[in-house]
Amino acid sequence: MRSMLNRRGFISAGAAVAAGVAVPGLSGCGVLGGDESDPDTLVLHSQLGGTAPGSATFRAVLDTFRKENPGLRVKSLVNGDELGQVYETSRLAHKEADVVMVNLYDKTVSWTGLGATVAMNGYLDDWGLRKRILPAALTEWTDEKGRLRALPYIASNWPVAFNRAAMHQAGVEEIPLTGDALIAAARKLRAKGTAPVTIGGNDWTGQKLLAQIIQSFLAAPQAKKLYSTGDFSGIKGAREGIEYFVELRDAGVFTDKAQGLTTDSMTTQFNTGAAAMESAMSSALARVPDQVAAHTEVGGWPLPSGAVHPKPTILRTFTVSGFWVSPNGTKKIETVEKFVRFMYRPDVIARFVSEGGRDMAVRTDTLSDGFPLVAKAQKLGDSVSQVVLPDLYVPPSAVQPMIQATSTAFTPGTSARRIISALEGAYRNA
Amino acid sequence: MATTQLRKSAPGKPRFRKSWLPAHMLVWAYAVLLAIPLYYFLASAFKSNEAIFSSPLSPPTSFGFGNFRTAFESAGLGSAIVNSGLVTVFSLALTLGLAIPAAFGLARSRGRVASLVEKVFSLGFLIPTFAALFPTFLLSAVTGLFHTRLFMVLFLPATAMPLSVVILIQFMRTIPQEMEEAARIDGASTFGVLRHIYTPMCMPGIATVLLLNFLTFWNEYLYSLIIIGPDPDLRTVQVALPTLKSQIGTDYGVLTAGTILTLVPVWIMYTLLQRRMQQALVSGAVKM
């Protein structure tokens, strides 16, 4: 019996398979690998993909940019939460994208200091963007050594949304402005079977609300010090803030099992009318269904007596997304400049506001009229007080432990002392 | 008593005894328990976030393919499925091309070296996937294959070799020595023995290796994310799918629809190979 495929045939077949294996790899080589030095190819890396808020607008303006620059090839890379990890490994291999659009949070806080991206101070004036960007945004994106980490782009208001229809059904006619009014409203809502305040106690939304409530007795400088050091038992006002949080929680202000909920469950509870209030970013408000949005007002978080703020508080941040330039990007800085200047054009900014329902860290007169709650939040102005967003001050290694500590805080029966211990532990173990 | 029952039952038809009722109830309850998540998964693909969370088990009000279309377009699943297909098919070809001859050689050898080599293959199970990530990343960077699919095509078979070789060795050892001797008398070369005796007789084992590795390669996420990266022209389906997830709020209807789309090739592959694999499992030849 002779083999139909002899040794020579086998070797030929093996070579064919090897060649076949090489084909997809070779077709892939150069798409990223060769582009970092090609001045006519721009590689962008962002989280604006899939169904993320504003991603459709981003895709549309990219198409416009491509049409206006036919000689330029624009490649858009998209990652979700794992963008930081992917960018960092790409940077280690010197194959990172030219421009990164990501928020200033967690790992990215230290990127400029580590050389993963370049300081943007010089480009800000060279590209004539200083007057376009809000000064407060520039301050937020500048590190302690005066380096502008990235060019600020997308911002966010973070008000409290009140479903007036659900509140009316429970006999609550006024938006609560004080802690006592909030507790009274919560009792009435619960009696009607409606959850008062929904919150993702097991993720970053819970962390932000806890941080906001703690700041009831803290002025901005103290809050910055608190979140930088994690000294929750030593800084005056932090303990009182945590005790206020415990008082609200034990009075049933937060939805049941809040310690296990996430952003998705929070927005769904509010969007379906199962809960009457939520503390939400404006991008989440853009997704509130019309029938709920029609009866929803936005405002601030009610304050206890003795609070240091004159009006109910909200969070505002300019750090949702910015343009970070990588070392590879500096090698074709003219191309990067062309893209960035295009993105700051008033018509492009207006599209993000009106079509994408996003708040911008850029001067613009456009309002998100197609997104009524986003527009209402944009108009809040000085009718609310603003507290510090902790993202810039919490050390990156303490961010995730802080979220775990937050879940502990939302767990019924946890004392203020234990919450302080959990929060301080997050800093100690990080 | 038993005789009476036997007389009452129709010939050839299994009798239903009342004493079996609890067992039947338990089996059906277990089946329903398994079916509920599957139903929830399928139904969610046709629902909005609000419907998924507010009434998770209610049937969808419409069976439109809007979520599927959104998932396919916004995550670029078309090219991602092609990329996953390329990486998986070439990796499987390379795995089989290396594992079958290796298992053949080891199964027929009786020496100490062969025994040692076989044990070395088994040691491969002890290496945790995550532990190899950084050295693998460095290797891809040094070889200039970072951000290519070629590296994954070369790397995935290396990770699959221990399991593949160990399974195939067990199959090949069940083939009687006389079969090879008869082939040799007929003038078959060593390669001829592999080609005409061992390979056809090991088809259930090869199908098992194919199916297990297909699932592993198709579902591989971490290395594909880091090594191939997020380029839409290159990324695999497991890297494309999470782009439907957002920190600010995920549309679970779209995400579930996208997940179903990525499962279609798995379902096709399982349908094609399931009989062979079941045959292999029933024969007791898979020693795991």
Side-chain angles (χ1 to χ4, degrees), chain A residues 310-327:
Chain A
K311 297 166 190 168
T313 60
I314 68 163
L315 293 160
R316 278 195 184 106
T317 176
F318 298 103
T319 56
V320 174
S321 189
F323 293 104
W324 307 70
V325 175
S326 72

Side-chain angles (χ1 to χ4, degrees), chain A residues 276-298:
Chain A
M277 298 171 243
E278 68 168 351
S279 165
M281 284 179 88
S282 43
S283 52
L285 295 177
R287 292 182 164 190
V288 175
D290 291 343
Q291 71 272 17
V292 177
H295 306 289
T296 299
E297 291 296 330
V298 295

Side-chain angles (χ1 to χ4, degrees), chain A residues 48-397:
Chain A
L48 289 169
T51 52
S55 55
T57 309
F58 183 61
R59 285 193 287 268
V61 300
L62 273 190
D63 286 342
T64 308
F65 181 70
R66 287 186 182 108
K67 280 178 195 159
E68 290 181 11
N69 299 276
L72 204 60
R73 187 167 170 240
V74 181
K75 186 159 267 299
S76 175
L77 317 181
V78 175
N79 273 125
D81 302 344
E82 68 280 4
L83 185 146
Q85 187 190 5
V86 172
Y87 176 80
E88 286 172 9
T89 45
S90 302
R91 173 64 202 134
L92 282 175
H94 301 291
K95 294 205 172 187
E96 78 277 9
D98 304 314
V99 178
V100 191
M101 289 181 74
V102 68
N103 56 348
L104 183 58
Y105 176 59
D106 201 352
K107 285 180 172 184
T108 66
V109 172
S110 54
W111 274 3
T112 310
L114 295 171
T117 53
V118 299
M120 298 299 292
N121 303 59
Y123 300 121
L124 178 70
D125 291 313
D126 291 350
W127 297 349
L129 297 174
R130 188 177 287 277
K131 287 182 181 172
R132 297 279 300 124
I133 300 169
L134 296 170
L138 289 173
T139 306
E140 277 198 5
W141 284 84
T142 302
D143 69 12
E144 64 285 353
K145 290 185 178 172
R147 291 174 296 209
L148 180 62
R149 294 176 173 106
L151 296 170
Y153 199 61
I154 298 177
S156 185
N157 283 301
W158 209 313
V160 181
F162 300 91
N163 182 335
R164 296 301 298 268
M167 290 166 70
H168 175 72
Q169 279 178 357
V172 182
E173 301 302 338
E174 298 295 326
I175 288 177
L177 300 176
T178 65
D180 291 340
L182 178 61
I183 290 169
R187 284 191 184 129
K188 288 181 180 175
L189 285 160
R190 280 190 175 275
K192 278 281 175 186
T194 304
V197 177
T198 178
I199 185 69
N202 196 25
D203 72 4
W204 54 278
T205 50
Q207 183 217 4
K208 301 295 182 288
L209 182 60
L210 176 63
Q212 184 176 358
I213 296 171
I214 290 173
Q215 289 183 62
S216 299
F217 295 96
L218 290 171
Q222 291 169 299
K224 288 174 187 174
K225 190 179 171 195
L226 174 71
Y227 290 113
S228 301
T229 61
D231 186 8
F232 287 87
S233 54
I235 291 175
K236 194 172 174 294
R239 177 179 291 275
E240 288 84 345
I242 291 169
E243 283 167 355
Y244 175 50
F245 170 83
V246 171
E247 182 189 348
L248 295 178
R249 187 201 64 202
D250 292 347
V253 162
F254 304 112
T255 187
D256 293 340
K257 297 171 185 167
Q259 72 275 17
L261 301 186
T262 61
T263 319
D264 294 317
S265 19
M266 176 187 93
T267 50
T268 306
Q269 281 197 348
F270 186 80
N271 292 353
T272 54
M277 298 171 243
E278 68 168 351
S279 165
M281 284 179 88
S282 43
S283 52
L285 295 177
R287 292 182 164 190
V288 175
D290 291 343
Q291 71 272 17
V292 177
H295 306 289
T296 299
E297 291 296 330
V298 295
W301 185 261
L303 290 170
S305 58
V308 298
H309 303 281
K311 297 166 190 168
T313 60
I314 68 163
L315 293 160
R316 278 195 184 106
T317 176
F318 298 103
T319 56
V320 174
S321 189
F323 293 104
W324 307 70
V325 175
S326 72
N328 273 344
T330 59
K331 293 174 190 164
K332 43 182 157 179
I333 200 70
E334 290 82 12
T335 311
V336 171
E337 178 186 356
K338 197 182 281 183
F339 170 72
V340 172
R341 284 166 72 103
F342 166 84
M343 291 298 284
Y344 279 95
R345 249 169 39 185
D347 60 311
V348 174
I349 297 291
R351 289 188 73 173
F352 271 96
V353 177
S354 58
E355 293 172 24
R358 301 306 305 249
D359 293 311
M360 305 303 287
V362 185
R363 293 180 202 279
T364 177
D365 295 327
T366 312
L367 287 176
S368 301
D369 292 327
F371 303 88
L373 295 183
V374 180
K376 280 180 184 174
Q378 287 164 350
K379 291 175 192 164
L380 276 173
D382 294 334
S383 66
V384 286
S385 295
Q386 188 177 327
V387 294
V388 172
L389 185 78
D391 292 5
L392 295 176
Y393 308 100
V394 177
S397 53

Side-chain angles (χ1 to χ4, degrees), chain A residues 1 3-5 10 20-21 24-25 27-29 31-32 50 75-77 79 89 93 204 264 268 271-272 283 287, chain B residues 50 53 74 90 137 146-150 153 186-188 191 196 225 230-234 243-244 247-250 252:
Chain A
M1 189 167 70
S3 166
M4 287 177 71
L5 191 61
F10 180 63
V21 164
S27 67
C29 279
V31 173
L32 266 173
K75 186 159 267 299
S76 175
L77 317 181
N79 273 125
T89 45
W204 54 278
D264 294 317
T268 306
N271 292 353
T272 54
S283 52
R287 292 182 164 190
Chain B
E50 283 68 37
F53 282 86
S74 54
F90 283 109
F137 158 70
F146 185 62
H147 281 165
T148 66
R149 290 163 294 188
L150 178 60
V153 168
D186 287 343
F191 182 75
H196 293 289
L225 174 72
D231 187 335
D233 293 339
L234 302 176
T243 62
L244 294 173
Q247 212 178 26
I248 298 166
T250 303
Y252 283 97

Side-chain angles (χ1 to χ4, degrees), chain A residues 37-59:
Chain A
S37 56
D38 177 7
D40 292 328
T41 300
L42 183 69
V43 185
L44 309 172
H45 196 175
S46 77
Q47 291 178 314
L48 289 169
T51 52
S55 55
T57 309
F58 183 61
R59 285 193 287 268

